Amino acid sequence: MGTDAAMPTLAVWKFASCDGCQLSLLDCEDELLAVADRVRIAHFLEASRQVEPGPYDVSLVEGSITTADDVARIHRVREMSRTLVTIGACATAGGVQALRNFADVDEFRSVVYARPEYVSTLATSTPIAAHVDVDYELHGCPIDRRQLLEVITALLVGRRPNIPAHSVCFECKQRGNVCVVVAHGTPCLGPVTHAGCGAICPAYQRGCYGCFGPMETPNGTAQAGLLRATGMSEADMVRAYRTYNAGAPAFIELSRITVGPPQPEGST
Amino acid sequence: MTHRSDRTLDVRALARVEGEGAMHVRVRGDAVEEVRLDIYEPPRFFEALLRGRRYTEPPDITARICGICPVAYQMSACAAIEDACAVTVEPGVAALRRLLYCGEWIESHTLHIYLLHAPDFLGYPSALELAKDRRDVVERGLALKKAGNEIVELLGGRAIHPVNVRVGGFYRTPARRELAPLREKLRTALDQALETVRWVAGFDFPDFHHDHEMLALVTPGQYAVESGGVATTAGLAFAVQRFEDHVIEEHVPHSTALHARLAGRGNYVVGPTARYTLNRQWLSPLALEAADAAGLGADCRNPYRSILVRAVETVFALDEAIRLIEQYEPPARPFVEVPPREAIGYGATEAPRGILFHRYGLDADGLITSARIVPPTSQNQAGIEDDLRRFVGSRLHLDDERLTWQCEQAIRNYDPCISCSTHFLDLTVERR
Ligand code: SF4
Ligand code: SF4
């Protein structure tokens, strides 16, 4: 952590999450000390017990909002932050914990806890942008550390981060992957999923499971046809959209298109 | 400034731990009245949301419980589901799983040693501050951590939430030539790991011992990582399938993490010191030598020395990874088919922070009917509170600031993973 008062300050905040997205910063093993030379890390509890008061030039926010206290806390974070960047599927789409949005949270609570009355939680898990203005969003569960470095460097020099919004398919072509749908009939969410990971799953002979959330303008009908052709059932298709980015409006929409026109009996 | 006799110490947001928690200690005169590790990390309800999902999904979904030890979640989930479906993976697949897990131990242990725990012993608030004086040391730690991450990335596709793990094995297994360059990097890392043991051995460890029963997996013939039966230092031994007969979880008001204890026996602790104490004889010769040179005896009951055990386990994991790469024969198939069936399955593996237990109920179509996950931190919570009570009691002469820092350190000994345990720390010491 630098001490130069002229250096821009960075704060990292956590809400309901697994810590994986903020860990991506500590996982920049080759760049971490260089970043620390150029920004003052003023609040980053996972890394330091030294906390400096705000305001902060840039805040990275991980996690979703699931408690009444956290609703209040995100407003305070927003007030203290010049630029606010949300990192990861939890912060941008509510995360896997947003599956409660489709269920009864009291029932969830009683399944996990013997004394549910000790646990206070909201009935929903919502993204940060549902509560405050957000300047940039980084997708992924977890985010990609190259994208994180791009955002931090861009903000340091005062330009807009270059984060493409096309689909994973595009990255598959760049990486030279063989299409897993065409070659093996493997179901894949790549055509509707936001780029950023570098098309990891297809490179490992697996279909994309959508961890980067929806791309900008997904073609849901074409995608539903593609998935159906691989033999996926409607229930499996709905579940595929309802996982790490269950709360992303485009994926909610796609999980509805999936159900689509009535199918002949026995086709599910 | 703090020689009031009644006081409270509060850490409202514990730093350098994974997740969110607080510590509250209340002292009256010379007596420690109350010690609470409050885990206020909001619950994420994994056990509830897994119901109705397919039996192929828990390795990916439960990985999201913790970004630091996703492989542990993937491995315990696979073990439990394969147990339910009565499937055994091929030896080549089992070896790759162990290799992947070694990568996670290296990455997680090094993160804890260098970035989270060592700064306490050296009086720095963070590793980034330490780097201003000892950049070489922090660079060594980051390089070592990177070596662990490279194993996970190569086998898993990425370091956090690997994509290549599936029930029955892997989506894709590497060719021998893909692993070869890794071996050279791990050799360099092994030297850095040995230096780490020597470095950490020079720290000043408080003279403190606990008498908790210690629990870990044991696999006769090899240091337990991804499989084994459960054993304790007091001689209790049982199969993973009997875990819930012996481990009782309780819900206490101050925590969103459940507290575990052994039925009829009380507190126990899990993690590197428990593993070392129960498995030491199966360390690799190099790791054993490093342990002896560092002055670790036959068992380790000083939680402050857990950092030393982590350093020794890092040497072991690198040694083991190199051995697995050298002996690697690609399996005939990357995975075995796992046909679903109506059954209950149990699985436990040694996460970096200690034993991680999973149990799933499946129906005949392979949909999950029930899930139970017991992470290491909830098993350690009562033990941590007990350590704090005794530790604070013997250090009441310290001022609040020093005492608070030392309490935080006492908690960080266990490398608590709060995101895991809710399925840390804000410290309060109240002196009255
Ligand atoms: S988006 Fe995924 S990796 Fe990031 S904090 Fe949430 S669960 Fe963890
Ligand atoms: S291919 Fe899809 S599921 Fe896999 S890492 Fe990339 S975005 Fe995530």
Side-chain angles (χ1 to χ4, degrees), chain A residues 17-21 62 88-90 140-142, chain B residues 44 64 161:
Chain A
S17 68
C18 81
D19 280 36
C21 288
E62 171 192 273
C90 293
C141 179
Chain B
R44 291 167 76 213
R64 270 66 185 189
H161 306 331

Side-chain angles (χ1 to χ4, degrees), chain A:
Chain A
M1 254 166 276
T3 41
D4 182 351
M7 284 206 283
T9 50
L10 179 73
V12 182
W13 307 94
K14 173 192 161 71
F15 292 84
S17 68
C18 81
D19 280 36
C21 288
Q22 49 176 316
L23 180 65
S24 300
L25 183 55
L26 299 179
D27 270 0
C28 297
E29 288 104 0
D30 294 333
E31 301 89 2
L32 182 64
L33 294 180
V35 169
D37 287 340
R38 295 183 55 199
V39 295
R40 200 159 86 243
I41 299 178
H43 183 287
F44 185 7
L45 278 185
E46 188 174 8
S48 180
R49 67 192 298 277
Q50 178 175 292
V51 170
E52 292 176 30
Y56 310 100
D57 290 308
V58 178
S59 275
L60 302 177
V61 180
E62 171 192 273
S64 66
I65 303 299
T66 60
T67 67
D69 284 349
D70 283 349
V71 173
R73 187 158 66 97
I74 190 61
H75 280 99
R76 289 199 301 275
V77 169
R78 175 70 267 188
E79 280 159 25
M80 287 188 289
S81 313
R82 229 153 266 146
T83 303
L84 189 152
V85 181
T86 54
I87 54 171
C90 293
T92 57
V96 68
Q97 56 275 13
L99 286 174
R100 82 182 68 181
N101 303 0
F102 306 94
D104 172 2
V105 77
D106 288 328
E107 197 260 346
F108 265 33
R109 189 161 29 196
S110 67
V111 167
V112 180
Y113 296 99
R115 306 286 299 270
E117 67 277 15
Y118 294 162
V119 178
S120 68
T121 180
L122 296 172
T124 53
S125 167
T126 41
I128 302 303
H131 302 272
V132 297
D133 287 339
V134 168
D135 298 299
Y136 296 103
E137 292 191 323
L138 265 192
H139 291 247
C141 179
I143 53 167
D144 180 83
R145 60 174 179 249
R146 287 156 302 192
Q147 290 203 335
L148 178 63
L149 285 170
E150 161 61 16
V151 167
I152 294 176
T153 353
L155 295 176
L156 278 178
V157 299
R159 65 171 168 81
R160 268 194 87 78
N162 175 20
I163 303 298
H166 48 240
S167 75
V168 168
C169 285
F170 191 90
E171 296 191 301
C172 247
K173 306 295 167 286
Q174 277 180 328
R175 191 166 176 158
N177 287 341
V178 173
C179 176
V180 294
V181 189
V182 174
H184 312 293
T186 304
C188 182
L189 296 190
V192 292
T193 298
H194 200 288
C197 72
I200 301 170
C201 292
Y204 280 77
Q205 283 161 27
R206 167 179 198 180
C208 169
Y209 58 89
C211 78
F212 270 63
M215 67 172 301
E216 224 158 49
T217 46
N219 184 339
T221 318
Q223 177 66 12
L226 188 76
L227 293 179
R228 214 171 279 129
T230 65
M232 225 175 165
S233 72
E234 303 295 327
D236 285 346
M237 283 153 75
V238 172
R239 264 203 306 274
Y241 291 121
R242 291 192 183 169
T243 315
Y244 313 101
N245 290 277
F251 271 4
I252 294 176
E253 179 63 25
L254 259 55
S255 73
R256 294 206 178 106
I257 295 178
T258 295
V259 179
Q263 296 296 301
E265 293 249 338
S267 70
T268 58

